[in-house]
Structures are given as C-alpha cells and as structure tokens.
C-alpha cells in the first residue's frame, strides 16, 4: 500500500494523506540553520547544533507521536459556512479532516497544500541559502463564491536554547523566559540579558491584529495545541511571557473576495549580535535590532522569497547534476539521481544528531559515521569535505585513537561519549583517500592539524593517517588480529564490557582494557586502509613507508587466513576468553555479515574461491526478501560477554536486524566478484523506492533509507526504523554508483567498470569529475563484465579514462560491455 507517489521531474515525493504510518519528514537548511519538518508540519529548528542552539520545542515520544511544530491555524471569522470554525491546514495539530491534502517534500523544502470548505492553503517552507532563518510562505485562495474573513495564526513554542536543559531543568527554566514584541515581530530573548549574544524571532509580512507569547494565555489552561482557546474564540491576549513557556503566535486577519488569492509570509529566524552591541540603547536591556531588521524586511517581501527559492532549487540542481544516470530501472534512477544523493547530503550535515529517532541531544557528530558519510557526498561538495576531514582529524587523540563523537558547535571531542572504539581511526584513512581520488588535492596532506584540538600539537594530516594505522598495529591480540577495544563498527559488540548493571551504557561504562578480544572486522578494515596508505605513500614518493604498509597488510592478511577464516565464511571476532564468534562452532551468532563484506572489499579471497564461498554463505544463511540480516542465529538471551548486541530482542537492531548499512558492503563485494545480478538483487531488496508498495509494512519514508529493517526473527519482519541518519545512505550510494554502475574515482583518474545485471543492455550517465563533464554510454555487446573504452571517439587501453590535454570540458565516453 502507498501513501503517496514520486514526482521525479520536480525531485519531490508527494504524500497524499496526512496519516502516514509514521511521520514522514524532510530537512530544511544546508549550512548553519536547520529544521526538521514532517508531512504535517511537525518538527523543530536549530542553529548549527541541535542540542546547544535549539530554537523551537519538540516533544519526542509523545502521543500523538509528532507533537510540536511550525503550526498555522486558520479560523473562519464569518460569514459562517457549515463546518469547523478553525482547523490546521497541515492537519496537525487539530487533526480536523481536510477535503484535500498534499505534502510535497523536495530538495530542502516542503510544501503542504490543503483545502477545507472552499479555502485552499499552500505553505512553502524553506531556508534561504546563506541565511539563518526559515520562511513559511502561505498562499490562501478563496474558492467560495462569497467573501471570506479568515484569521491566520502562526504558532511555535520556543526552546530555551539548550535542549537538554530545556527538557529537564524546570525549577530554573520556569523563571527565565523573556520576550520582546515590536511592530508585530516576536523576539525570544531568554538568557540574552546574561551570556547569550543570540535571540530568535518570528515575524510576519502582514499587520498583526493580536499576539501571544505566554503559552497558557494562548492555549487556555488544561488545553492542548489541538484546540487553543485563542483560536477558538478569535481573541488573543497580547500576552508577554515572564518565565513559564514563551511561545510565538500572531493573528492576521485576511479578507478574501470570491476567487481571490493572498500571501502571508512568516519568518522564524536566529540572529547574533556583537557582544558590545547587544542592547539599544546601550545601557538598556532591549535587543539591538539594527542588524536584524534589514534581514527581516527583505524576506517579508514575496519577490525576495521567490528569488531565494529559485536559488535554493538551483543549488540542489547543481549538486545533483554532478552524477546523473538513465538506467532501465526507475528505482535506481530516482535513488541515484535524487533521493540517495540528497540523503547523503543530509547525513553529512546532521551526522547522527537530529532526526525523528535521534533526539538532537544524545549524539553529536560521529567520528566513524562522518568519515563514512563523506564517501557519499565528496563529489558534490569537495570543499566542505575538506573542512570536515580537518575537523574530524583535529579531534583525533595523540595515540591515534579518536573520540567517538564531537559537538558540531564547538568542534570538540565529546568526553561524555568516550572513545576506545578501535575501528574509528581507520575510517579517517578511507575518507581522506576518497577525497584525494575525487580532487587530487594532495596539499591537504600537508595541512597542520592538532590532536584533541590542543594548540601546539599540530602535525601534517598525513601524520594523523600514519598514527591511525599505528593505532591498530599497537593493539594486536593473541591471534595477531586487532584488539576490538570497546567495540568496532558494530557499537553493540562489546566484548570487554561485562555489564550487569541495568541501564548502564555499554558505550561509556568502564570497559576492560582487554588484551584478548579481537575483531576480524577491524582486520579487514585495516587491509582496506593499508591499501590506500600504500597508494598515498607511493604518490608521495615515500618508498620506505610503502614497503612498511605492504608488509603490515600482508601480515594482517595472514592473520585473517589463519585465525579469521572458518571454512565457509570469515569469522567475526574472538571473545575475551579467546573463543571464536561467528563460527560454526557457536550455537548462536554463527555467521555475521560484517566480516564477509569488509574482507572481500579489502580483496581477501578474490583470487581464489574463498570470497565467493563467503558470499554464497551470506545468500544461504543471512539473505531475506527484505534485506540481509546482521547474523544468524539471533541471540536468544543476554550474554554478559557479548554486551549490547544480545540485549536487543531477536531480529531488532544489532541482534540480527537487517542493519541496512552493511548490505551495500555485500553488493560491493558481489560486484567485485563479478556477480552483477546478485549485487543488484541485494540493491533492490532494501531500495526504499522499490519498497514503496509495501509502505504499510515498511512504515518509514519510501524516499530515503532507514538504518534498520526488522529481521526474520522479529514478529514485525520488514518493518523499518531509524530513518534518515545512517551510513546506509553513503554506502548504498557508493555501491550503486561506483561498483554496480562502476563509475569510480581512483588516484589515477575516473575508472569505468560496470557490473550490471545481465538483463540490462546498458545505461547512460553523466559524471563531473575534476572539472570535466563525462558523458558515458554503456552498451552491452555480450555477457560478462569485460569492457572496451572509446574516449572522444578513440579507443583506449584499460578502463581508466585518461585526462585529456585538449582542454575540453565535456568528454564523450563509449563503453562496450561484455566483448572480451
Ligand atoms: C549506528 C552508529 C554507527 C554504528 C552502527 C552499528 O548506525 O551510528 O556508528 O556503526 O550503528 O552499531
Ligand atoms: C548505535 C547502535 C545502537 C546503540 C548505539 C549506542 O547507534 O545502532 O543500537 O545503542 O549505537 O550509542
């Protein structure tokens, strides 16, 4: 069953009923100001950091689920037509049935259109490029054959900035809320009197006939957002908040002749003043509005709103146009061309901080996560990838280890979340290698970057990469495999925790400095990273280092073959007692997906039959119609020595859920093994668009990937959770664009090596790369993956497109597939 449809031409998903199985959301903002917006206008906004600079309130885990948003109410002031006297044009929060409803989630904007009793409203929400504000542009149309008098209300609940404190520290917070109201604009200035230099504002293009800033004055005691008494009665109190819950709500009276259309623009914004210019007059406590007023004025004009919207569209068109494909499959086309690329950008901006499953409080930017996100977006915004790499590296510790997370506002490692995840540093190498392959900006390796942000500790970025490798080599276990530390990629495989206290966090509880538990996954990741280091050292002309990395790589491969191979697949780990996990010797957790993916991606077993053996074992033991599960059999009980992985009920999350992030590793591995049909089959199983028809089962948005789909052991097999912020986005993008379609950057140039389904007769793609736009046509001539290339009409050797010296900005590439 579907709840909407794709409109690929406009790069939108169109939801046609408000009661989707879960809120289906979108993101606003591209740089510093961000918002989450659901299909019923729920969500919240923040500046840079969802925890430390939260503008508006949102109540997670509420009933109804989606509580708090950027709400608009419409009130029929008369003459009265039969029907409700007030409603929400976005359905929530009044949930009064609408005659028509449609929500269009697009690239960085959302438009919610509805109609009730002949009054049509359409609200376009977006954040203009380069601004720290959001626009709600409401267009009202009167389809009645008589004049309508409509009151329009805006409504937001302000957050007192630190979202954690806001949700817990009521003894203080009920006394500190402050606002100012001037010319219809509401300024939220809690704590501005003391150490804050920022405030929020809600402004309106029309003259305001009333307002409220104290929540209870607007709602009425014991009432909720579904029926504010001020809207019901039409009477605002013009309340000024002193403590309690400051809100922003304005009433605008609109008269619409029959057939008439009018616009009302609201803007919700964030503004900072210079510390010594906070107040006006200087010795007062009144906000200095001199620098904010011109911004407000600008965006309350409809022409400027249009111009800003067109600029936003152009921005996204340009980003997405860097890689566009036409294949025989519409799910592939729309995911590659639109939604997967878009999601990759969102994960770049948010890491794992703010979604409808991540509260914006618990997590900052993940070290491992952000490095992987980069693999997906580096071709779209290489400059920001560069900046991100340097930020991440600056949180690395002198040992080569890393903080697991850092706060986006401060860019400092988050001590509370800790470190000791022994895979973390290796991901930095993958990210830097991807950046170099895309940009050839070798200068980045010379950038001086500190450790733990300590001035004076700077070293060239290359040194950071060397320490990442050394970190693993300094921590090898009894089988010469890498020690796992607190966990590896699987945060929940906690072999050194032995936690028996309820509620204790597996991620931060004191963990044993174990010298026994080892990870085959990290071994595979190490081989992959060492390969990149060899190429980098080669390029830098550092022969000794090249040799050292080659030797380390070979040693690690040897360790994998002697202790990490189980006969039919790669083992997962060794526990603190030195027993294998992910082996046929185990009762539960006999085979895991992660080591099969990473080891084959690292090239292990590709020159004999062991890679295909491992992949066949995946097919046999782990593949389901909804995707590939993490392991089998699921853990049926809690194992003290395994940790959080066994804390989940079977089939969910890390306990044998379909953890989508890992599925593309198998797609890539299958492609490397030359099995295009299998790679593509796995691709389609979790492709959200291909699952659109079962939205009532899948439940999450059909236009973006979710972190997890319930596995076979779960009663709700096939149900997705944790949509949006997941490494699934970047890795699926890499799997389809670089390995199945096979267009991938290398240190030497753009390589083309498609491993597509046998039934496809070819495809076309355009890819911008190092300043040149390649128009690539792939035509199948026979079975197999052999390729012959013609570049600009001339046959070339091999399959890396040579950089032509003729200065042409557009190059035609013809590929004949399956000829040899
Ligand atoms: C989450 C984390 C990621 C981790 C994965 C598996 O997606 O963000 O870092 O690798 O879970 O535990
Ligand atoms: C990852 C895992 C999750 C675990 C969390 C701890 O996100 O997916 O299951 O609880 O890490 O931070």
């Amino acid at each position: 069953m579907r709840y909407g449809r794709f409109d690929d031409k406009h790069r939108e998903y169109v939801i046609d009923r408000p009661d989707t199985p879960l809120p289906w959301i979108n993101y606003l903002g591209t740089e510093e100001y961000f918002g989450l917006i659901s299909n019923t206008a729920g969500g919240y906004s923040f500046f840079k950091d969802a925890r430390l600079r939260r503008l508006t309130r949102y109540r997670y885990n509420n009933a109804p689920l989606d509580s708090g948003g950027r709400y608009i109410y419409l009130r029929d002031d008369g003459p009265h037509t039969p029907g409700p006297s007030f409603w929400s044009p976005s359905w929530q929060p009044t949930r009064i049935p609408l005659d028509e409803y449609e929500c269009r989630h697009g690239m960085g904007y959302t438009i919610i259109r509805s109609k009730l009793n002949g009054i049509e409203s359409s609200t376009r929400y977006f954040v203009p490029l380069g601004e720290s504000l959001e626009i709600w542009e409401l267009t009202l149309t009167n389809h009645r054959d008589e004049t309508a008098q409509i009151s329009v209300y805006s409504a937001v609940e302000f957050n007192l900035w630190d979202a954690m404190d806001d949700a817990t520290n009521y003894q203080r917070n009920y006394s500190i809320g402050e606002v100012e109201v001037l010319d219809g604009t509401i300024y939220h200035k809690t704590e501005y009197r003391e150490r804050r230099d920022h405030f929020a504002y809600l402004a309106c293009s029309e003259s305001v006939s009333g307002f409220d800033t104290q929540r209870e004055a607007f709602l009425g005691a014991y009432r909720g957002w579904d029926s504010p008494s001020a809207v019901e009665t039409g009477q605002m109190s013009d309340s000024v908040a002193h403590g309690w819950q400051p809100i922003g709500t304005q009433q605008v009276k609109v008269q619409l002749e029959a057939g008439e259309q009018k616009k009302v623009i609201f803007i919700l914004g964030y503004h900072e003043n210079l510390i010594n210019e906070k107040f006006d007059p200087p010795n007062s406590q009144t906000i200095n509005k001199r620098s904010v007023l011109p911004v407000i004025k600008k965006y309350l004009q409809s022409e400027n709103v249009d111009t800003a919207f067109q600029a936003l569209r152009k921005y996204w068109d340009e980003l997405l146009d860097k890689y566009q494909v036409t294949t025989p499959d519409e799910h592939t086309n729309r995911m590659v061309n639109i939604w997967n690329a878009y999601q990759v950008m969102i994960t770049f901006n948010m890491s794992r901080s703010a979604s409808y499953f991540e509260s914006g409080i618990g997590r900052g930017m993940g070290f491992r996560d952000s490095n992987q996100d980069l693999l997906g977006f580096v071709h779209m915004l290489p400059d920001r990838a560069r900046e991100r790499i340097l930020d991440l590296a600056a949180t690395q510790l002198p040992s080569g280890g890393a903080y697991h997370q850092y706060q986006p506002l401060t860019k400092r490692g988050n001590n509370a979340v800790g470190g000791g995840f022994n895979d973390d540093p290796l991901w930095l190498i993958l990210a830097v290698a991807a950046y170099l392959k895309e940009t050839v900006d070798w200068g980045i390796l010379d950038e001086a970057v500190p450790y733990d942000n300590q001035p004076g500790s700077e070293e060239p970025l290359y040194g950071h990469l060397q320490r990442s490798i050394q970190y693993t080599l300094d921590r090898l276990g009894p089988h010469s495999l890498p020690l796992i530390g607190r966990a590896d990629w699987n945060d929940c495989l906690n072999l050194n925790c032995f936690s028996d206290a309820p509620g204790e966090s597996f991620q931060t509880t004191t963990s044993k400095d174990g010298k026994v538990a080892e990870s085959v996954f990290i071994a595979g990741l190490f081989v992959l990273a060492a390969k990149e280091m060899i190429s980098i050292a080669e390029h830098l002309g550092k022969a000794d280092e090249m040799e050292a990395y080659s030797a380390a790589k070979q040693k690690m491969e040897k360790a994998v073959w002697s202790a990490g191979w189980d006969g039919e697949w790669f083992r997962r780990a060794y526990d603190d007692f030195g027993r294998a996990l992910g082996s046929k010797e185990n009762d539960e957790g006999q085979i895991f997906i992660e080591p099969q993916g990473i080891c084959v991606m690292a090239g292990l077993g590709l020159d004999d039959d062991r890679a295909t053996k491992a992949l066949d074992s995946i097919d046999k033991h782990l593949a389901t119609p909804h995707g590939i599960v993490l392991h089998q059999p699921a853990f049926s009980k809690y194992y003290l020595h395994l940790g959080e992985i066994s804390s989940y009920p079977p089939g969910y999350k890390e306990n044998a859920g379909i953890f989508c992030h890992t599925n593309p590793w198998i797609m890539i591995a299958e492609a490397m093994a030359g099995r295009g049909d299998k790679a593509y089959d796995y691709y389609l199983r979790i492709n959200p668009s291909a699952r659109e028809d079962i939205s009532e089962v899948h439940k999450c948005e059909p236009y973006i990937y979710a972190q997890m789909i319930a596995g076979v052991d779960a009663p709700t097999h096939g149900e997705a959770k944790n949509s949006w912020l997941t490494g699934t986005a970047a890795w699926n993008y890499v799997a389809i664009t670089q390995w199945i379609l096979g267009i991938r950057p290398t240190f030497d140039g753009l390589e083309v090596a498609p491993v597509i389904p046998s039934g496809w007769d070819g495809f076309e793609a355009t890819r911008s790369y190092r300043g040149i736009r390649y128009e690539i046509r792939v035509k199948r001539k026979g079975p197999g993956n052999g390729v012959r290339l013609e570049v600009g009409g001339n046959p070339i050797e091999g399959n890396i497109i040579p950089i032509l010296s003729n200065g042409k900005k557009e190059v035609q590439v013809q590929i004949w597939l399956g000829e040899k």
Side-chain angles (χ1 to χ4, degrees):
M1 175 180 175
R2 298 185 185 196
Y3 295 80
R5 67 195 153 84
F6 286 93
D7 178 349
D8 294 339
K9 185 161 164 269
H10 295 101
R11 295 181 161 154
E12 292 172 339
Y13 190 81
V14 189
I15 301 166
D16 54 24
R17 48 188 286 185
D19 55 341
T20 45
L22 289 167
W24 284 2
I25 75 162
N26 192 13
Y27 285 82
L28 310 176
T30 48
E31 287 149 53
E32 299 190 317
Y33 184 103
F34 295 103
L36 287 73
I37 181 164
S38 72
N39 58 312
T40 57
Y44 60 93
S45 302
F46 59 92
F47 179 74
K48 282 192 186 172
D49 192 313
R51 169 166 180 180
L52 300 175
R53 287 279 194 287
R54 186 84 63 105
L55 262 77
T56 56
R57 247 182 217 153
Y58 184 76
R59 291 184 178 75
Y60 278 91
N61 197 6
N62 215 307
L65 196 52
D66 194 17
S67 293
R70 30 183 88 64
Y71 292 138
I72 288 174
Y73 299 89
L74 299 181
R75 180 176 193 278
D76 213 335
D77 289 339
H80 284 285
T81 50
S85 59
F86 69 93
W87 69 95
S88 303
S90 60
W91 191 59
Q92 280 256 62
T94 63
R95 291 186 301 286
I96 287 169
L98 298 161
D99 296 338
E100 289 175 21
Y101 161 92
E102 180 186 273
C103 167
R104 290 179 172 262
H105 284 320
M107 305 288 105
Y109 66 89
T110 288
I111 300 169
I112 302 177
R113 192 190 64 78
S114 68
K115 202 167 155 188
L116 186 65
N117 281 341
I119 302 298
E120 184 183 348
S121 84
S122 174
T123 314
R124 181 159 77 168
Y125 302 88
F126 72 101
V127 175
L129 295 172
E131 301 289 2
S132 55
L133 59 91
E134 65 187 62
I135 292 174
W136 320 348
E137 183 198 38
L138 168 71
T139 307
L140 280 176
T141 314
N142 178 11
H143 294 282
R144 297 177 186 166
D145 36 24
E146 58 188 1
T147 306
Q149 309 281 355
I150 302 290
S151 276
V152 177
Y153 301 82
S154 59
V156 290
E157 190 168 348
F158 292 112
N159 192 295
L160 309 188
W161 304 114
D162 180 334
M164 177 71 172
D165 189 75
D166 183 78
T168 45
N169 193 10
Y170 308 112
Q171 63 78 24
R172 168 178 162 86
N173 294 341
Y174 280 177
S175 292
I176 62 173
E178 287 189 302
V179 298
E180 273 175 40
V181 184
L182 185 73
D183 300 332
T185 300
I186 295 166
Y187 298 86
H188 172 234
K189 60 166 189 177
T190 301
E191 290 187 343
Y192 189 74
R193 60 168 53 249
E194 29 126 350
R195 291 154 296 174
R196 293 192 184 273
D197 58 357
H198 44 270
F199 56 89
Y201 57 88
L202 180 68
C204 177
S205 61
E206 307 307 302
S207 83
V208 162
S209 66
F211 64 86
D212 270 309
T213 66
Q214 189 86 66
R215 192 179 72 197
E216 289 335 78
F218 179 67
L219 297 182
Y222 297 96
R223 295 171 69 119
W225 291 98
D226 54 347
S227 64
S229 69
V231 178
E232 192 177 288
T233 60
Q235 199 50 56
M236 302 291 260
S237 316
D238 294 357
S239 58
V240 174
H242 299 287
W244 299 113
Q245 298 87 359
I247 64 167
T249 169
Q250 298 140 324
Q251 179 186 24
V252 174
K253 294 192 169 162
V254 183
Q255 170 165 318
L256 291 165
E257 303 308 324
E260 199 186 356
Q261 189 169 77
K262 274 190 183 159
K263 279 191 185 189
V264 182
I265 301 164
F266 294 101
I267 55 185
L268 172 65
Y270 168 93
H271 195 75
E272 285 174 5
N273 272 339
L274 294 174
I275 291 286
N276 52 2
E277 294 176 8
K278 276 169 67 171
F279 302 107
D280 182 22
N283 55 0
S284 75
Q285 290 289 296
T286 313
I287 297 174
N288 177 350
K289 304 182 186 69
R290 260 171 296 177
S291 59
V292 76
L293 284 176
V295 185
I296 296 181
K297 192 165 164 228
K298 176 172 177 191
Y299 289 104
L300 290 180
Q301 286 164 21
S302 147
E303 316 79 72
N304 296 336
V305 169
D306 268 330
T307 311
F309 186 73
Q310 293 319 325
L312 180 70
R313 291 213 79 144
K314 184 156 170 272
Y315 169 87
W316 278 106
D317 286 346
E318 283 174 6
L319 286 187
L320 301 183
D321 281 346
K322 304 232 157 131
Y323 194 136
Q324 289 288 301
V325 296
T326 312
T327 77
D329 176 59
E330 66 167 352
H331 304 301
T332 306
N333 296 345
R334 69 166 62 108
M335 289 313 290
V336 171
N337 295 342
I338 309 169
W339 291 101
N340 195 175
Y342 180 62
Q343 187 180 359
V344 161
M345 287 299 304
I346 303 295
T347 59
F348 155 62
N349 281 322
M350 299 289 130
S351 193
R352 307 294 170 268
S353 68
S355 74
Y356 268 31
F357 299 85
E358 300 283 5
S359 64
I361 293 175
R363 302 221 244 174
M365 313 293 281
F367 190 90
R368 167 204 298 141
D369 295 329
S370 291
N371 277 306
Q372 289 173 83
D373 295 342
L374 196 137
L375 306 177
F377 84 86
V378 59
H379 68 294
M380 288 188 271
L381 280 178
D383 292 348
R384 294 190 66 193
R386 187 180 213 275
E387 184 191 349
R388 177 59 53 83
I389 286 172
L390 298 176
D391 286 348
L392 283 162
T395 68
Q396 196 178 13
L397 300 165
S399 66
Y403 285 104
H404 204 41
Q405 291 171 23
Y406 73 93
Q407 279 312 120
L409 190 69
T410 61
K411 296 189 172 179
R412 293 296 163 106
N414 189 338
N415 238 331
V417 190
F421 295 79
N422 281 352
D423 64 314
D424 269 340
L426 294 171
W427 298 107
L428 179 65
I429 297 176
L430 265 52
V432 173
Y435 174 76
L436 291 172
K437 290 174 192 176
E438 184 67 35
T439 62
V440 278
D441 170 20
W442 291 93
I444 193 175
L445 295 175
D446 301 325
E447 286 285 342
V449 185
Y451 289 95
D452 197 5
N453 278 295
Q454 292 309 313
S457 67
E458 290 82 359
E459 192 182 36
L461 178 65
Y462 181 65
H464 284 251
L465 304 186
Q466 290 181 295
R467 289 199 200 190
S468 296
I469 287 281
Q470 198 54 43
Y471 181 85
T472 305
L473 295 177
D474 289 345
R475 288 166 184 75
L476 297 179
H479 301 92
S480 303
L481 292 168
L483 292 174
I484 196 167
R486 184 175 285 288
D488 59 23
W489 171 87
N490 191 327
D491 275 337
C492 300
L493 187 58
N494 314 121
L495 304 181
N496 289 305
C497 271
F498 295 90
S499 172
D500 56 8
E504 193 169 68
S505 158
F506 291 92
Q507 270 64 47
T508 54
T509 177
T510 314
S511 161
K512 175 168 175 181
D513 184 21
K515 299 278 186 278
V516 178
E518 300 168 297
S519 161
V520 179
F521 177 84
I522 301 182
L525 181 60
F526 179 87
V527 173
L528 197 56
K531 280 184 158 174
E532 305 288 21
M533 286 303 280
I534 295 168
S535 304
I536 292 173
E538 181 181 8
H539 181 93
L540 299 178
K542 296 180 187 273
D544 293 356
E545 284 159 28
M546 244 180 97
E547 241 170 71
Y549 295 132
S550 303
K553 168 179 163 279
Q554 277 169 25
K555 257 179 102 175
M556 191 65 80
E557 288 172 341
K558 242 179 99 190
V560 170
W561 290 128
S562 72
W565 179 250
D566 201 58
E568 301 286 324
W569 56 76
F570 294 96
R571 294 181 172 166
R572 180 64 178 84
Y574 283 88
D575 67 19
D576 189 49
F577 308 98
R579 299 174 306 208
L581 179 67
S583 158
K584 53 183 168 314
E585 290 160 23
N586 300 105
D587 293 334
E588 302 192 324
Q590 286 177 347
I591 170 170
F592 284 72
I593 189 174
E594 304 101 299
Q596 324 311 325
I598 204 84
C599 289
V600 177
M601 288 201 298
L604 286 152
L606 278 173
D607 43 14
D608 52 43
D609 66 346
R610 286 179 290 189
T612 47
K613 244 191 194 165
L615 293 172
D616 290 344
S617 298
I618 291 265
D619 192 20
K620 187 162 161 210
H621 301 287
L622 302 182
T624 83
H626 295 290
I628 310 167
V629 299
L630 267 187
H631 60 264
Q632 280 293 289
F635 298 109
S636 60
K637 55 181 186 235
Y638 179 60
Y639 293 96
L640 191 63
H641 67 289
L642 298 182
E644 187 168 2
I645 192 168
S646 60
S647 74
Y648 286 110
Y652 293 105
K653 295 278 283 180
E654 277 88 342
N655 189 8
I658 296 158
F659 217 90
C660 297
H661 185 143
T662 60
N663 281 218
W665 295 343
I666 303 303
M667 299 165 204
I668 296 171
E670 288 286 3
M672 290 175 98
R675 308 199 296 191
D677 284 324
K678 203 69 220 160
Y680 185 67
D681 173 14
Y682 289 141
Y683 175 73
L684 277 191
R685 291 190 205 193
I686 63 165
N687 180 307
S689 161
R691 296 173 61 77
E692 188 193 15
D693 284 342
I694 53 161
S695 288
E696 80 287 6
V697 176
H698 184 78
K699 293 206 172 141
C700 283
E701 297 92 333
Y703 40 93
I704 47 100
Y705 286 95
Q707 180 205 57
M708 197 264 309
I709 298 174
V712 271
D713 303 282
T716 58
H717 185 34
E719 178 187 81
K721 281 186 195 137
N722 297 14
S723 56
W724 284 97
L725 303 185
T726 161
T728 312
W731 277 109
N732 268 285
Y733 191 79
V734 169
I736 185 71
T737 61
Q738 298 190 18
W739 294 95
I740 298 177
L741 300 177
I743 302 172
R744 63 175 166 269
T746 70
F747 290 110
D748 304 320
L750 198 61
E751 181 173 3
V752 192
V755 186
I756 55 176
S758 50
W760 283 15
D761 60 0
F763 67 93
E764 291 177 11
T766 53
R767 171 69 152 93
S768 299
Y769 181 67
R770 300 186 189 173
I772 295 175
R773 192 161 174 82
Y774 293 98
E775 304 213 344
I776 303 171
R777 265 185 206 81
V778 177
K779 189 95 197 95
R780 187 181 279 293
K781 299 279 273 184
N785 306 311
V787 289
R788 190 163 60 73
L789 261 70
E790 279 170 21
V791 178
N794 304 311
I796 61 144
E797 282 294 312
N799 57 1
I800 296 184
I801 305 171
I803 307 287
L804 300 178
S805 50
N806 60 10
K808 279 205 178 142
K809 289 282 165 217
E810 286 198 3
V811 175
Q812 313 284 328
V813 183
Q814 176 69 54
I815 319 267
W816 306 106
L817 187 64
E819 266 206 332
K820 36 184 185 181

